[in-house]
Amino acid sequence: KELLDYERESELITLKEQLKRDLKENRYNLGHLASRVEISQSHLSNILSGFRTPPKDLAVKLALSASLLTDKLYEPIQFTE
């Protein structure tokens, strides 16, 4: 398994799917996360889909912001692999 994948209820889901679920539980969405780290939603989508790799400082911001918005721990490495 890669760090990008989580196992929940015996199904394998991507970081993007997990993040969407966690944000939704707290009444947020990917747009809120993108806004918080000052990038476009399309840029965030490209990162979460693996089409772009963020610089380390952006990965740290994404992990911190995702953790704050969801009350769950996200690590910078999850956004770079």
Side-chain angles (χ1 to χ4, degrees), residues 9-20:
E9 300 166 8
S10 74
E11 67 180 76
L12 203 57
I13 60 173
T14 65
L15 172 62
K16 186 175 186 175
E17 292 167 338
Q18 181 64 49
L19 191 50
K20 280 180 165 181

Side-chain angles (χ1 to χ4, degrees), residues 52-68:
R52 301 199 61 183
T53 301
K56 287 181 185 178
D57 62 326
L58 179 54
V60 169
K61 286 181 186 178
L62 284 166
L64 178 60
S65 294
S67 296
L68 289 171

